[in-house]
């Protein structure tokens, strides 16, 4: 009872006090603080004459009670100009804060830590979340295209296919893929990551930033930071969705049925299918096979995220679904993403985790008979129908007997049965950091990168014609499984302290171990009894398995020092050991040093237009061990077939020759950079120049066949490559008034040259990129990596005299005739031989461009994003199909203007001409330069007052991708991405820029919705 009376007394006392305050004229002031684009949470709202104050909530709202109506309120927030506003008896005050370019200092993620942008001495490009999600993409790495200088991204049109990503050109004939690090965990890629979960991406490009990763840093490093919760008074719930269509509008101009029949009769003999009335029902169609394989695909995406936190913890949970039907029939990609990020503080102890799981399912483009689906669509006779219920499987194809060709029905090849690739991917880590004492922190982290893949195919029996040209008498079953597991353990000590107010020191000591295990089982069998059973059996079984292990250990020391953020210096040393090298050369040293001068912080720069003027430079060595496992050691081949006693007997033999002296590839990097910010950083400019030299490159040298090894190559450290280039980034931002806009353009140039190729002095080129029995690309001294290799054409022979004049060493030859392609005799020996082959093109661009334009007017927003590649060549093998005329196939309409006599054509040779007509030559080389409108978006954000503030954000938008392509390339898409037939990434380094009927990138239009509560 006494306790109850006491509470009543306090309540009455509070009422009395409140009334007394009100009687003295004190008031309550409330309002909203924003930055022009939305509310600002966490803004400090404090009275000028005392420390009384509060902070804005998540919606930017604040309330101050019991204040003097004549007082002044101070609004302050990091990165914005502080504002002082007199109350003047007002009870509602709304404030818009402006960016303070002088105080704004971006925090960027670097290797094993963070730095303020003003302290960075290396070459780092940052891509923010809004840039990543502005373009609807199936994989997050596709969004990198055109966003950062020095990063060249070549996308593929196949749903779920990873793009080719290159940082600062090519430095090795081996794998040039960058290292991916997600929330501190080394990852095999970022393709399965949900773009909506990404907070920012940092691209590390020079030795000052990549050498800390030692053996993994030579191709650049991409660091991905995912979103986490932030302290707020309430949790936030966000929903993001879009739906739309994608399609391929371009087509090759092929012969129609009537043109094809006429063409077939002219080059003879005429197929029976055309002349025999018994086949009239099958040869009376006019099928557009390109329209048959392309379609309008539906695409949709849904993402939901819950985030929140307080001063001691934060969390974010998200889930997403992506579904995309490809623009080619029976191609599809689906992905479910789930992510949980959280952090907890317990005084000096902080623990946290970042965990992402994805479930992927892909129906890929299939590889049938070694040809792409588009190649079949080009070659197959147009007078045939797609379907024929009388045939096993229900499709119609050509017959070698009746149609004189063997192209497959592309619709059957792509749709009969089912091919599915599934994977479960886990990427995440847990960490704990403890502040041992002031300025010294210990951190330990365990990271997991795990993938469980399953590739299955079931193709029932079929027969596309009565002669069984394209047929299979049994069902085919394929089941391949693989498990990839990478565990990374990292322990570090960080000392960070400021001495005497100006001397800032950070020291990092780190030990790291990465252990990778890979296992695969590949099985196939047939079923010649039923087309209804898709399980393996012992009938026609083919079984194999594989396993490998990889271990890397590294130790790192790093020092960062700056004086008043004005004079900057950084140095690091890393020592790594890799299991891919023998005991002789297992360890490697990787040092780096860099320096910078913040000129804008000097006293003589005060009161100038410069907000930022920083000069920096770096030097360092990085390594590369991206080769196969166990190459330093002898291995055995267990399924080698020996002829013994007239019979084939399975046995075991040495697979290849060991090289115990294998050692690291090393790249020495030099970089000079300049950062400029003018007029309150409205105008920004960055310039970089780099000069890299890669040495001891690992090359497969051919062994004499007399050695008798199954693997005819010996991997050795024999080559060196020089890569140099420059990068520019210029931006302008106007964030004042109702209409705001910004423009950002980046340009990069890279050039590589092979310096040495063989330590023995043999300068013979190394060939690759085969097509129709020929090598299309090569590596040789004083040339760029993977240049195109072939003959130089010189028109068409018009007369026998012209033939004899060129082939003077053999005027009696009976192979080349008038109407055939004339090639240049470069060595003047009177013959056209392989000695006349030379460099005919370079697949790598001279310049890559990205241009991003944004604008906002009140609640409307606009974005236009362009990407371009210039100076690169493409080897278009489709020209072989469209104009080759090696035998009867459908072709492009250009063959109607082929050479038929002197003067009729000097570009298209005669039909069924000399074999040399289709030899690798510059006839198939085209300029692959292009400019693409990659994204065009118009959005509108509905004011929150419309929903009585129940919804903090409601935005709708319409967006189009790849709407315009400006190019001279004759193919369907000048951007030649990764070959991914049946999801097998068959594009090795020698395949750069070769168009084999690749899956072109579709155009798309989507409608989207974004909500926040």
């Amino acid at each position: 009872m006494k306790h109850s009376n006491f509470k009543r007394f306090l309540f009455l006392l509070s009422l009395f006090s409140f009334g007394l305050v009100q009687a003295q004229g004190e008031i309550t002031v409330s309002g909203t603080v924003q930055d022009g684009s939305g509310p600002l949470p966490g803004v400090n709202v404090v009275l000028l004459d005392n420390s009384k104050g509060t902070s804005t909530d998540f919606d930017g709202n604040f309330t101050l009670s019991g204040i003097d109506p004549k007082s002044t309120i101070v609004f302050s927030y990091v990165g914005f100009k502080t504002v002082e506003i007199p109350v003047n008896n007002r009870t509602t005050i709304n404030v818009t804060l402006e960016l303070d370019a002088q105080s704004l200092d971006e925090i960027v993620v670097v290797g094993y830590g963070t730095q303020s942008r003003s302290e960075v001495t290396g070459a780092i490009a940052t891509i923010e979340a809004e840039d990543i999600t502005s373009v609807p993409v199936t994989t997050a790495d596709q969004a990198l295209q055109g966003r950062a200088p020095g990063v060249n991204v070549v996308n593929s049109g196949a749903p779920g296919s990873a793009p080719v990503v290159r940082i600062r050109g090519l430095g090795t004939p081996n794998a040039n893929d960058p290292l991916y690090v997600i929330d501190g965990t080394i990852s095999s890629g970022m393709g399965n990551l949900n773009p909506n979960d990404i907070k920012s991406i940092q691209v590390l490009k020079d030795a000052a930033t990549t050498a800390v990763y030692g053996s993994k840093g030579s191709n650049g490093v991409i660091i991905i930071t995912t979103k986490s919760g932030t302290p707020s008074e309430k949790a936030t719930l966000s929903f993001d969705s879009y739906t739309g269509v994608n399609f391929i509008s371009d087509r090759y101009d092929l012969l129609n049925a009537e043109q094809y029949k006429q063409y077939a009769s002219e080059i003879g003999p005429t197929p029976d299918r055309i002349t025999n009335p018994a086949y009239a029902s099958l040869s009376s169609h006019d099928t557009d096979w390109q329209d048959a394989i392309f379609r309008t695909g539906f695409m949709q995406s849904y993402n939901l995220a819950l985030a929140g936190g307080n001063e001691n913890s934060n969390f974010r949970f998200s889930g997403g679904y992506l579904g995309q039907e490809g623009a080619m029939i029976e191609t599809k990609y689906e992905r479910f993403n789930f992510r949980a990020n959280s952090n907890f503080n317990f005084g000096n102890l902080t623990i946290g985790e970042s965990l992402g799981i994805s479930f992927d399912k892909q129906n890929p483009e299939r590889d049938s008979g070694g040809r792409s689906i588009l190649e079949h669509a080009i070659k197959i006779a147009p007078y045939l129908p797609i379907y024929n219920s009388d045939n096993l499987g229900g499709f119609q194809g050509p017959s070698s007997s009746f149609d004189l060709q063997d192209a497959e029905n592309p619709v059957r090849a792509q749709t009969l049965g089912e091919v599915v690739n599934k994977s479960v991917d886990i990427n995440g880590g847990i960490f704990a950091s403890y502040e041992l004492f002031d300025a010294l922190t210990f951190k330990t982290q365990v990271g997991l990168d795990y993938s469980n893949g399953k590739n299955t195919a079931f193709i029932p029996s079929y027969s596309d014609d009565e002669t069984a040209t394209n047929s299979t008498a049994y069902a085919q079953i394929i089941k391949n499984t693989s498990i990839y597991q990478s565990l990374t353990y990292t322990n570090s000590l960080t000392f960070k302290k400021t001495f005497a107010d100006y001397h800032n020191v950070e020291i990092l000591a780190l030990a790291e171990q990465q252990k990778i295990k890979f296992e695969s089982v590949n099985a196939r069998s047939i079923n010649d009894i039923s087309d209804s059973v898709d399980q393996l059996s012992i009938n026609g079984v083919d079984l194999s398995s594989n396993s490998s292990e990889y271990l890397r250990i590294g130790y790192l020391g790093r020092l960062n020092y700056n004086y008043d953020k004005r004079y900057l210096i950084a140095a690091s040393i890393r020592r790594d050991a890799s299991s891919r090298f023998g005991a002789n050369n297992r360890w490697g040293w990787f040092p780096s040093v860099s320096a910078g001068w913040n000129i804008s912080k000097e006293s003589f720069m005060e009161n100038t237009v410069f907000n930022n003027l920083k000069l920096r430079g770096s030097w360092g060595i990085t390594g590369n061990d991206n080769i196969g496992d166990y190459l330093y050691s002898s291995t055995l081949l267990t399924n080698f077939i020996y002829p013994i006693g007239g019979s084939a007997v399975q046995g075991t033999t040495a697979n290849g020759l060991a090289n115990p002296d294998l050692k690291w590839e090393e790249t020495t990097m030099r970089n000079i950079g300049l950062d400029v910010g003018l007029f309150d950083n409205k105008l920004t400019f960055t310039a970089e120049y780099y000069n890299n030299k890669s040495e001891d490159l690992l090359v497969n040298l051919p062994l004499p066949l007399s050695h008798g090894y199954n693997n005819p190559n010996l991997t050795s450290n024999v080559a060196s490559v020089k890569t140099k280039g420059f990068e520019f980034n210029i931006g302008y931002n106007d964030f004042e008034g109702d209409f705001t806009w910004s423009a950002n353009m980046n340009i990069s140039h890279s050039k590589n040259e092979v310096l040495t190729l063989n330590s023995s002095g043999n300068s013979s080129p190394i060939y690759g990129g085969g097509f129709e029995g020929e090598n299309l690309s090569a590596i040789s001294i004083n040339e760029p990596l993977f240049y195109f290799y072939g003959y130089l054409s010189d028109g068409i022979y018009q007369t026998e005299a012209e033939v004899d004049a060129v082939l003077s060493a053999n005027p009696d030859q009976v192979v080349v005739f008038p109407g055939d392609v004339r090639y240049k005799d470069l060595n003047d020996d009177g013959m056209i031989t392989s000695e006349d082959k030379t460099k005919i093109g370079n697949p790598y661009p001279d310049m890559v461009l990205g241009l991003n334009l944004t604008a906002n007017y009140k609640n409307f927003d606009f974005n236009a994003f362009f990407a371009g590649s210039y100076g690169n060549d493409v080897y278009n093998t489709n020209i072989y199909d469209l104009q080759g005329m090696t035998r009867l196939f459908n072709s492009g309409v250009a063959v109607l203007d082929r050479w038929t006599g002197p003067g009729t054509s000097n570009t298209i040779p005669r039909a069924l001409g000399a074999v040399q007509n289709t030899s690798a030559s510059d006839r198939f080389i085209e300029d692959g330069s292009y400019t693409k409108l990659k994204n065009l978006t118009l959005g509108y954000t509905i004011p929150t007052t419309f929903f009585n503030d129940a919804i903090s954000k409601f935005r709708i938008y319409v967006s189009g991708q790849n709407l315009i392509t400006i190019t001279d390339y004759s193919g369907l898409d000048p951007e030649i991405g990764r070959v991914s037939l049946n999801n097998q990434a068959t594009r090795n380094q020698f395949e750069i820029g070769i168009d084999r009927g690749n899956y072109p990138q579709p155009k798309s239009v989507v409608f989207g919705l974004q909500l926040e509560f």
Side-chain angles (χ1 to χ4, degrees):
M1 178 64 71
K2 291 182 179 180
H3 181 65
S4 177
N5 289 335
F6 180 70
K7 289 196 296 182
R8 291 175 182 173
F9 170 75
L10 290 179
F11 177 70
L12 292 174
L13 181 62
S14 64
L15 288 178
F16 174 77
S17 300
F18 178 76
L20 182 62
V21 170
Q22 292 295 91
Q24 292 177 344
E26 294 182 346
I27 61 175
T28 297
V29 177
S30 61
T32 301
V33 182
Q34 63 175 349
D35 64 350
S37 61
L40 281 176
V43 177
N44 294 318
V45 184
V46 183
L47 293 179
L48 180 63
D49 53 356
N50 60 51
S51 59
K52 182 178 182 179
T54 185
S55 60
T56 58
D57 61 16
F58 180 80
D59 296 319
N61 300 320
F62 74 92
T63 300
L64 278 176
S65 301
I67 67 173
D68 187 332
K70 296 181 180 180
S71 61
T72 298
I73 302 176
V74 180
F75 299 86
S76 62
Y77 192 64
V78 176
F80 290 82
K81 295 179 180 179
T82 299
V83 176
E84 299 180 3
I85 298 180
V87 176
N88 292 334
N89 291 305
R90 290 177 293 175
T91 58
T92 300
I93 297 178
N94 296 320
V95 180
T96 299
L97 297 184
E98 296 181 3
L99 285 172
D100 185 357
Q102 297 284 355
S103 64
L104 189 62
D105 196 1
E106 176 191 3
I107 300 298
V108 296
V109 179
V110 296
Y112 306 105
T114 60
Q115 279 187 299
S116 65
R117 176 66 74 174
S118 62
E119 297 173 349
V120 170
T121 54
I124 300 179
T126 301
I127 306 169
E128 300 294 349
E130 56 267 23
D131 294 325
I132 300 166
T133 57
S134 64
V135 181
V137 292
T138 54
T139 61
D141 39 12
Q142 294 174 347
L144 294 173
Q145 187 177 38
R147 296 295 182 181
V151 181
N152 185 30
V153 178
V154 182
N155 286 312
S156 170
S161 293
V164 177
V165 180
R166 297 290 178 262
I167 297 176
R168 290 192 163 179
L170 305 174
T172 173
N174 298 303
N176 281 273
D177 296 326
L179 174 69
Y180 294 91
V181 181
I182 302 175
D183 291 335
T185 297
I186 293 176
S187 174
S188 56
M190 59 182 290
N192 295 315
L193 190 62
N194 187 345
N196 286 75
D197 287 334
I198 298 176
K199 177 183 178 182
S200 67
I201 297 176
Q202 315 289 340
V203 181
L204 314 184
K205 298 181 288 186
D206 70 334
T209 55
T210 64
V212 294
Y213 288 101
S215 61
K216 296 296 181 182
S218 62
N219 297 323
V221 181
I222 295 177
I223 298 180
I224 301 99
T225 303
T226 61
K227 296 176 182 177
S228 59
T230 56
S232 61
E233 291 188 1
K234 67 174 186 177
T236 62
L237 182 66
S238 61
F239 175 73
D240 185 295
S241 175
Y242 66 78
T243 182
V245 295
N246 65 96
F247 54 92
I248 295 171
S249 58
D250 292 333
R251 301 286 190 271
Y252 287 114
D253 194 1
L254 304 179
L255 301 176
N256 60 31
E258 288 303 315
Q259 291 171 324
Y260 178 80
K261 291 177 182 179
Q262 180 63 34
Y263 165 73
S265 65
E266 291 175 356
I267 68 173
T270 305
D272 289 344
R273 188 87 73 184
I274 297 176
T275 59
N276 193 334
Y279 303 118
S281 60
L282 284 179
S283 62
S284 59
H285 300 81
D286 193 355
T287 302
D288 190 324
W289 289 100
Q290 293 181 97
D291 283 350
I293 64 170
F294 293 135
R295 67 176 178 184
T296 298
F298 179 70
M299 53 195 300
Q300 55 186 326
S301 173
Y302 308 95
N303 295 282
L304 187 67
L306 176 66
N310 54 41
E311 64 273 13
N312 294 317
S313 65
N314 64 72
F315 66 89
R316 185 178 186 272
F317 306 109
S318 66
Y321 169 78
L322 172 72
Q324 179 185 357
E325 292 179 341
M328 180 181 289
I329 55 175
E330 202 61 25
T331 57
K332 186 178 181 181
Y333 179 69
E334 287 185 292
R335 184 182 66 230
F336 291 89
N337 283 96
F338 303 93
R339 175 163 288 277
N341 291 355
S342 60
N343 293 277
F344 304 91
N345 298 320
F346 304 93
N348 289 349
L349 175 65
T350 300
I351 61 174
E353 55 78 30
S354 174
L355 178 64
I357 303 176
S358 68
F359 300 87
D360 297 64
K361 178 181 177 182
Q362 183 194 42
N363 298 102
E365 178 188 357
R366 305 182 194 178
D367 179 9
S368 185
R371 297 168 178 164
S372 70
I373 296 300
L374 180 57
E375 185 177 352
H376 284 302
I378 292 174
K379 289 184 172 182
I380 191 170
Y383 57 65
L384 294 173
I386 300 174
Y387 305 101
N388 186 344
S389 59
D390 295 332
N391 292 335
L392 179 62
F395 294 90
Q396 179 63 48
S399 163
S400 296
S401 301
F402 304 135
D403 301 285
L404 302 183
Q405 64 149 284
D406 60 356
E408 296 186 40
N409 182 323
V411 178
R412 189 267 305 153
Q414 182 61 27
T415 63
L416 184 64
E418 185 179 41
V419 178
V420 180
N421 302 316
K422 295 181 179 180
S423 69
V424 178
D425 300 276
I426 302 174
N427 182 278
I430 57 175
F431 76 91
S433 65
Y434 188 81
E435 189 174 351
L436 300 174
F437 53 85
D438 183 35
L440 184 63
T441 302
F442 170 75
K443 182 178 180 180
T444 183
Q445 178 168 327
V446 179
L448 170 67
D449 187 34
Y450 174 88
S451 179
N452 189 330
K454 183 178 181 181
N455 303 332
T456 62
F458 175 72
I459 310 298
S461 60
Y462 64 89
S463 180
D464 288 351
D465 66 278
E466 60 267 49
T467 60
T469 298
N470 291 309
S471 64
T472 300
Y474 46 78
Q476 304 171 70
I477 303 100
I478 300 174
K479 293 183 183 293
N480 300 330
T481 61
S482 63
I483 295 177
Y484 172 90
Q485 175 183 290
S486 170
L487 280 171
T488 306
Y489 307 91
T490 308
N491 293 297
S492 64
L493 275 172
T494 303
F495 176 81
K496 188 173 185 179
K497 193 172 181 64
T498 299
F499 298 94
D501 296 331
Y502 294 106
H503 301 276
N504 303 297
V505 178
E506 181 182 15
I507 301 174
L508 171 70
L510 177 143
E512 184 174 72
Q513 180 191 85
Q514 183 185 19
K515 188 173 185 179
I516 296 176
K517 291 184 178 181
F518 176 80
E519 296 180 358
S520 66
V521 177
N522 305 310
R524 64 172 60 215
S525 69
I526 64 173
N527 190 325
D528 52 9
I529 298 176
S530 173
D531 283 331
S532 301
V533 178
D534 61 356
Q535 299 302 310
L536 294 167
S537 68
I538 61 172
N539 190 9
V541 67
D542 184 3
L543 181 65
S544 65
S545 65
N546 178 49
S547 66
S548 62
E549 291 188 1
Y550 166 78
L551 181 66
R552 179 180 60 90
I553 300 174
Y555 302 96
L556 169 68
R558 180 175 66 191
L559 168 67
N560 291 331
Y561 168 80
N562 72 76
Y563 176 79
D564 194 27
K565 294 188 177 182
R566 191 185 316 172
Y567 310 115
L568 318 168
I569 189 169
S572 70
I573 182 72
R574 175 148 182 164
R575 182 165 168 80
D576 273 5
S578 170
S579 64
R580 288 176 175 156
F581 305 114
N584 297 353
N585 297 294
R586 183 154 288 167
W587 290 89
W589 288 97
F590 307 104
S592 75
V593 62
S594 60
W597 178 22
N598 263 324
I599 305 173
S600 56
K601 291 186 177 294
E602 300 289 352
S603 58
F604 59 81
M605 294 296 293
E606 294 180 359
N607 301 320
T608 67
V609 297
F610 289 92
N611 309 109
N612 181 33
L613 181 60
K614 181 170 66 174
L615 182 67
R616 48 187 168 76
S618 67
W619 172 93
I621 298 175
T622 58
N624 187 18
D625 66 347
N626 290 326
I627 58 173
D629 294 310
Y630 314 122
L631 293 178
Y632 66 89
S633 176
S634 296
T635 57
L636 298 178
L637 180 67
T638 59
N639 60 348
F640 195 81
I641 305 300
Y642 287 88
I644 299 179
S647 301
V649 180
Q650 182 172 312
T652 299
T653 186
N655 187 50
L657 185 63
N659 185 356
D661 294 322
L662 283 181
K663 59 183 179 180
W664 297 93
E665 293 185 350
E666 291 187 350
T667 300
T668 302
M669 300 182 176
R670 303 168 183 85
N671 187 87
I672 298 176
L674 178 67
D675 303 322
V676 181
L678 302 168
F679 311 113
D680 291 333
N681 277 337
K682 284 186 176 181
L683 181 63
T684 59
F685 175 77
T686 299
E688 309 272 1
Y689 171 78
Y690 62 90
N691 191 330
N692 302 337
K693 184 178 181 181
S694 301
E695 299 177 284
D696 293 324
L697 298 180
L698 294 158
V699 175
N700 291 328
L701 298 179
L703 293 171
L705 295 179
S706 59
H707 283 195
Y709 290 108
N710 180 67
N711 180 1
N713 298 309
L714 176 65
T715 304
S716 305
N717 297 89
V718 295
S720 61
V721 173
K722 178 175 66 176
T723 306
K724 61 182 180 180
F726 58 80
E727 302 160 2
F728 297 110
N729 193 100
I730 184 169
Y732 182 82
N733 301 289
D734 182 2
F735 291 137
E736 298 180 0
D738 288 338
F739 177 78
T740 62
W741 66 281
S742 67
N744 185 284
M745 182 175 68
N746 65 79
I747 299 173
S748 56
H749 162 78
S750 178
K751 181 181 180 181
N752 70 81
E753 180 184 354
V754 177
L755 302 178
T756 59
L757 192 58
N758 193 328
S759 58
S760 66
N762 183 1
S763 60
S764 298
I766 298 174
Y767 302 108
F771 177 74
E772 296 293 333
E774 284 192 283
N775 293 305
L776 304 185
S777 53
I779 301 175
S780 61
I781 296 176
N782 300 326
E783 296 291 352
L785 287 166
F786 319 119
Y787 67 89
F788 294 128
Y789 176 78
Y791 295 108
L792 293 176
S793 61
D794 191 23
I796 305 294
Y797 291 114
Q798 301 296 323
T799 64
E800 186 64 37
E802 291 183 6
V803 176
D804 294 339
V806 174
L807 303 178
S808 56
N810 186 13
D812 297 324
Q813 59 83 32
V814 290
V815 176
V816 179
F817 293 95
D820 290 328
V821 178
R822 177 170 53 196
Y823 295 116
K824 293 184 179 180
D825 181 10
L826 298 184
N827 61 359
D828 294 323
D829 64 352
M831 296 184 293
I832 302 298
T833 67
S834 60
E835 298 298 320
D836 296 306
K837 288 187 175 182
T838 186
K839 176 186 174 183
I840 57 175
N842 183 0
Y844 213 75
D846 295 326
M847 185 176 71
V848 176
L849 174 142
L851 174 62
N852 193 41
L853 305 174
T854 62
N856 295 271
Y857 179 71
K858 295 184 177 179
N859 292 336
F860 289 94
D861 61 87
F862 169 83
N863 173 258
F865 175 58
F866 298 85
S869 177
Y870 310 98
N872 57 294
D873 296 312
V874 173
Y875 195 103
N876 188 0
T877 69
N878 299 291
I879 296 177
Y880 177 96
D881 301 319
L882 296 168
Q883 302 176 14
M885 298 178 288
T886 57
R887 58 191 178 105
L888 181 58
F889 285 117
N890 197 16
S891 303
V893 295
V895 300
L896 300 177
D897 297 321
R898 66 190 182 279
W899 189 93
T900 54
T904 54
S905 176
N906 199 39
T907 55
I908 308 298
R910 65 188 177 99
L912 307 180
V915 174
Q916 73 167 39
N917 287 355
T918 53
S919 295
S921 72
D922 60 351
R923 293 185 60 235
F924 306 101
I925 299 294
E926 294 191 67
D927 183 5
S929 302
Y930 66 84
T931 301
K932 286 189 177 184
L933 176 58
K934 297 294 293 186
N935 182 68
L936 185 66
T937 299
L938 179 63
Y940 180 77
T941 301
I942 301 175
T944 57
T945 55
F946 184 83
F947 305 100
N948 294 323
D949 296 326
I951 300 176
S952 58
K953 181 179 181 179
F954 192 112
R955 177 177 177 264
I956 55 176
Y957 66 91
V958 59
S959 179
Q961 288 72 48
N962 298 311
L963 298 179
I964 299 175
T965 299
I966 301 174
T967 184
D968 291 330
Y969 182 61
S970 67
L972 300 187
D973 188 358
E975 191 173 350
I976 308 302
R978 191 182 300 271
V979 174
S980 189
L981 302 177
N982 290 0
N983 202 34
Q984 301 300 311
T986 59
R987 175 168 296 281
N988 58 36
Q989 300 301 314
F990 281 99
E991 291 288 305
I992 295 175
I994 301 177
D995 186 354
R996 302 177 181 274
N998 294 22
Y999 200 129
Q1001 289 189 72
K1003 301 176 181 178
S1004 64
V1005 178
V1006 301
F1007 298 88
L1009 169 68
Q1010 296 174 336
L1011 298 174
E1012 287 185 7
F1013 300 89

